[in-house]
Amino acid sequence: MIKIRAVELIEEQLHFINQTKLPLQEEMLVTDDYERIAIAIERLEIRGAPAIGVAAAYALALSLKNIEKEKWTEAFENAFKRLASTRPTAVNLFFALNEMQDVYNHYQNTNDLRSRLYQKAISIHNDDINLCDRIASNGLNIFTHKVRVLTHCNAGALATGGDGTALNVIRKAFENGFVEHVYSDETRPLLQGSRLTAWELQKYGIPFSINTDSTAAFLMQQNKIDLVITGADRIAINGDAANKIGTYNLAVLCHYHKIPFYIAAPTTTIDKKCPNGDGIKIELRDKKELTHFDSKQITLDSFPAYCPAFDVTPHSLITAIITEKGIHKPPFDFLHV
Ligand code: MRU
């Protein structure tokens, strides 16, 4: 059984795969510096909503390493603010930071504060591993026969602390004989689909092909897609779900072609302060991600550009949302889930 871990704490150092280099290079980076982890999140060396949360939890625990006790409060607050500023959309980041802050507040005057913070970060990580397993088991119930699945971006092991969300559902379904082929959208502009999802699918031995994002409609028209499943970065109480830009396109296409559209995510991705998708902050990325292709300039810097990293799929287009608690069908109400 192939095990991929996007991030791992080993002897007070965070080890992570540099996801910007995959699949051409499998480069491991090691650091105990929270600022380096913040940069890794901004650069998408570490990415995917749950993985960002786990990495940020470890970063906060590491922020007190080699710091004198009198400076702990200042160091923790600086690290908290810096990590909270990295990426605005994935709510898992803020969930993990707040959980760490609760531990900090509770144990700040004790000598074992640092070990309490490590313990909490490790438990956030272990919980995520467990959530991924339960999402996959629940997700298996949507399959009744062998299907061809399309997915967008990467919601696999690389995107989480454990084995993934949407891609883990696909993996489990494949192991149980329910998946004939996976179509992986390339996912412009940073190619999480054609680089990362494809890399994982190949490792798992699942038959797949990559396609440009704009090929999805044609594939559906040719009757080649039986269902679509993606992850999410933030889910509102009414089920509106933010995910990688282009996900909404797929949901609209599924509606037209009468193809089920599923989201798989842990309940740590639900934002109970968000009644609907209007309140979800969408990250805007540097226009260089559009004007350049892997540092090669492809269009003019002087061209104005619009580069949202995510979009919001309205709940009315979602067939069901799979969490570790079960399969949630419309009408969605995540306030008490
Ligand atoms: O910009 P990214 O690569 O961090 O975007 C990731 C996604 O959109 C994923 O689908 C989402 O975080 C779910 S990961 C389990």
Side-chain angles (χ1 to χ4, degrees), residues 60-100:
L60 273 186
L62 288 166
S63 71
L64 303 189
K65 190 177 170 183
N66 304 326
I67 303 283
E68 298 155 40
K69 202 173 169 193
E70 306 78 67
K71 296 196 175 148
W72 278 359
T73 303
E74 191 192 346
F76 189 87
E77 280 172 7
N78 287 342
F80 186 100
K81 275 192 216 129
R82 174 69 181 99
L83 290 157
S85 75
T86 51
R87 298 194 73 193
T89 306
V91 77
N92 310 59
L93 169 66
F94 304 96
F95 167 82
L97 292 176
N98 291 335
E99 293 268 299
M100 294 296 287

Side-chain angles (χ1 to χ4, degrees), residues 278-292:
D278 297 346
I280 300 178
K281 183 157 191 219
I282 299 295
E283 176 184 9
L284 293 177
R285 300 284 301 175
D286 191 326
K287 74 185 246 192
K288 268 217 159 64
E289 292 178 358
L290 236 68
T291 56
H292 289 63

Side-chain angles (χ1 to χ4, degrees), residues 44 47-50 52 87 152-156 159-160 164-166 192 230-233 243-244 264 283 309-310:
L44 273 62
R47 47 145 300 281
I52 292 170
R87 298 194 73 193
H152 191 69
C153 196
N154 172 266
T160 65
T165 58
Q192 289 91 331
T230 75
D233 284 78
N243 192 51
K244 177 55 54 193
E283 176 184 9
F310 302 97

Side-chain angles (χ1 to χ4, degrees), residues 148 180 183 216-227 257-259:
R148 293 136 324 152
E180 183 181 314
Y183 291 92
F218 189 48
L219 283 168
M220 290 181 188
Q221 193 181 46
Q222 294 176 91
N223 246 331
K224 288 188 172 161
I225 311 291
D226 299 303
L227 68 90
H257 290 279
K258 300 189 174 38
I259 293 168

